Amino acid sequence: MATSALKATWSAQATAHGRLGGRGRIHRCRKKVQAPSRIATQAAADAKGVQGLSQGNHRQVLKTLVVIRKSWRKVQEGIVLGTLFGSWYVFNIAFNIYNKQALQVFPYPATCTAAHVAVGALVMLFLWITNIKKKPGRISKATWTAVWPLAFLHSAGFLTTNISLGSVAVSFTHTIKALEPFFSVMLSWLFLGTVPSLAVVASLLPIVGGVILASVSEASFNWTGFVSAMGSNLAFQSRNVLSKRYMQAASLDSSEMGGENCEALDNLNLFAIMTICATLILVPAALVLEGFKFVPSMVTPKLLWQIFAAGLCRAGDVLVSYLILSRVSPVTHSVGNCIKRVAVIVISIIFFKTSMNLMSKVGTSVALAGVGVYTFALNQIKARKSRAVATVSTALYTRKEPKRPPSPPPKQGRAREPEVLQSDLELGDDGAGI
């Protein structure tokens, strides 16, 4: 009895132990099966994290590359502008030096001027032939009528400038030519009706005073150089005023200026036509005024190179000036032109070893400072006008339309007429629309 009970107990324990052992083995097997799946899940999560990190790094790298590219473009633009401004100054300085050297050996300014404009005309023809600059189409009689007076003034201004450069020092000629703003203001008031502001008039006072002070104390002063430089100011500024009137007329009514199959001239083509016409004017004028002065002992290869280089530098000066004006604002261009005159005066004084007393230095400095003040005052006025025009334009195009009652439904058998808005009528009346 006891033995049978003990056997029953042992079999129960063995059965329980076997079940537990089986469950333990099953649990351990499940752990072994589940372990690789957990590792794979963790690996996938890690891969996603690495992929997200790489995508974030890729975006950051792209942003950095975009910033670097924009910065490099700005650097390139700065290099190009710096090169253009430097070329502009070099061309102008070289023109004055070559021209003065030629006039010292060959004192015939009309012949030199005719050669200079002829070289400029050849340069412009080369640009047209090679399609570097698109040549103008058929030019109407009205355009020729407007261009010939400009060409005459261009010739007169260039000729009187060379007469002054041959008579007095280069620095003194350019000091007198600092009076160009004074002539520009006066002629614009007389011919265009532009009334100068008080700030502009006040900025002209130091220019006039400085030129008077420099003229009184100039060692190389003579009336031929002084009067011819003043005549150059008058001729060039009259040309600029008439050119402005022509460009305004061409922009307002191109059909009237050009005709049905003609086109108005842009600034560079207008200069090219003026240069070609000036050549046709100055070559006969040089023959009449100075005749044939080609003495073999005087005309040397060095002189011919100086005259040709002066004409080439003059053409390059104008072309680079237009290139700069196409890239920067007129404000920057005018400031650069003011600095250019200072550079020409300083370099010419150093190159030709021009002696200047204290009074002449003070007068030149005051005149150039007045030109800077005039440029600043004029640009401030232009900026205010531009802001005012922009404000008015924004107000006109952003104003709300008045609410209108809903139109009645169309009657059957009758087509509905198109609705004409009041804003369309206003645009048409103002000329901004049609």
Side-chain angles (χ1 to χ4, degrees):
M1 187 71 181
T3 304
S4 61
L6 182 61
K7 288 181 179 181
T9 303
W10 285 351
S11 71
Q13 291 179 354
T15 303
H17 178 70
R19 291 176 180 174
L20 290 175
R23 290 180 181 177
R25 285 194 297 271
I26 293 173
H27 185 67
R28 284 194 296 271
C29 290
R30 288 178 179 175
K31 283 186 176 180
K32 290 180 181 179
V33 173
Q34 290 176 359
S37 63
R38 290 181 180 178
I39 294 173
T41 304
Q42 185 66 30
D46 294 341
K48 289 182 179 180
V50 172
Q51 186 179 4
L53 184 61
S54 63
Q55 289 180 354
N57 292 336
H58 184 64
R59 294 193 189 97
Q60 186 65 31
V61 170
L62 288 179
K63 289 181 180 179
T64 305
L65 290 176
V66 170
V67 172
I68 293 174
R69 188 176 181 181
K70 289 181 179 180
S71 302
W72 176 241
R73 284 181 179 177
K74 290 182 179 180
V75 171
Q76 285 180 324
E77 290 177 0
I79 293 173
V80 171
L81 281 178
T83 303
L84 288 176
F85 272 101
S87 302
W88 191 24
Y89 292 176
V90 168
F91 276 133
N92 196 272
I93 293 170
F95 162 73
N96 284 277
I97 291 176
Y98 281 128
N99 197 15
K100 181 64 176 179
Q101 289 176 338
L103 290 171
Q104 287 175 341
V105 178
F106 189 75
Y108 300 103
T111 303
C112 291
T113 306
H116 295 162
V117 296
V119 172
L122 292 176
V123 170
M124 297 309 303
L125 289 175
F126 173 78
L127 296 179
W128 285 345
I129 293 173
T130 57
N131 289 326
I132 297 176
K133 172 63 181 176
K134 182 181 177 182
K135 61 182 178 181
R138 189 172 67 87
I139 302 175
S140 67
K141 294 181 180 180
T143 302
W144 282 115
T145 303
V147 166
W148 275 106
L150 298 177
F152 176 78
L153 292 172
H154 182 71
S155 304
F158 207 172
L159 177 59
T160 50
T161 298
N162 283 345
I163 292 174
S164 178
L165 288 173
S167 302
V168 295
V170 176
S171 57
F172 182 56
T173 297
H174 281 277
T175 301
I176 300 173
K177 286 179 71 65
L179 279 173
E180 285 180 351
F182 174 80
F183 285 91
S184 177
V185 170
M186 294 301 296
L187 292 173
S188 297
W189 175 56
L190 291 175
F191 293 102
L192 299 179
T194 305
V195 180
S197 64
L198 184 60
V200 171
V201 174
S203 66
L204 296 176
L205 297 179
I207 300 176
V208 176
V211 170
I212 293 174
L213 193 61
S215 301
V216 171
S217 57
E218 174 61 32
S220 64
F221 177 86
N222 62 66
W223 284 105
T224 301
F226 178 81
V227 172
S228 58
M230 295 291 285
S232 173
N233 288 334
L234 180 61
F236 277 136
Q237 295 308 311
S238 299
R239 179 203 64 183
N240 292 343
V241 170
L242 291 181
S243 298
K244 185 175 181 181
R245 174 181 288 182
Y246 165 78
M247 297 304 293
Q248 289 176 348
S251 62
L252 290 176
D253 192 0
S254 58
S255 61
E256 181 180 351
M257 295 300 299
E260 293 181 357
N261 298 322
C262 302
E263 58 181 11
L265 301 174
D266 59 9
N267 286 327
L268 191 55
N269 281 332
L270 179 60
F271 171 78
I273 297 296
M274 281 194 303
T275 304
I276 294 172
C277 294
T279 304
L280 300 177
I281 293 173
L282 284 172
V283 170
L287 294 176
V288 171
L289 295 175
E290 298 173 351
F292 291 95
K293 302 294 182 181
F294 296 100
V295 181
S297 60
M298 184 182 298
V299 180
T300 61
K302 183 179 180 181
L303 175 64
L304 294 177
W305 163 249
Q306 289 171 346
I307 295 175
F308 175 78
L312 197 62
C313 290
R314 178 62 178 171
D317 175 23
V318 175
L319 292 176
V320 175
S321 176
Y322 281 119
L323 284 176
I324 293 174
L325 192 58
S326 66
R327 289 176 173 267
V328 301
S329 64
V331 176
T332 305
H333 187 272
S334 59
V335 172
N337 191 28
C338 180
I339 298 174
K340 183 189 71 173
R341 189 174 298 282
V342 176
V344 169
I345 291 176
V346 173
I347 297 299
S348 64
I349 290 173
I350 296 174
F351 186 86
F352 293 106
K353 298 178 181 179
T354 306
S355 60
M356 298 178 65
N357 53 30
L358 180 61
M359 195 69 68
S360 181
K361 293 178 181 178
V362 172
T364 302
S365 301
V366 171
L368 294 177
V371 173
V373 174
Y374 166 80
T375 302
F376 177 78
L378 194 62
N379 291 333
Q380 289 294 109
I381 293 173
K382 290 180 180 179
R384 284 198 296 268
K385 289 183 178 179
S386 299
R387 288 195 296 268
V389 171
T391 302
V392 172
S393 300
T394 304
L396 286 175
Y397 285 99
T398 58
R399 60 185 180 182
K400 296 182 179 180
E401 293 292 337
K403 294 183 178 180
R404 298 179 177 87
S407 56
K411 298 181 180 179
Q412 294 181 356
R414 181 181 179 184
R416 182 180 179 183
E417 297 180 356
E419 183 180 3
V420 181
L421 299 179
Q422 183 66 23
S423 58
D424 297 333
L425 294 176
E426 291 175 356
L427 287 174
D429 293 338
D430 294 340
I434 300 173

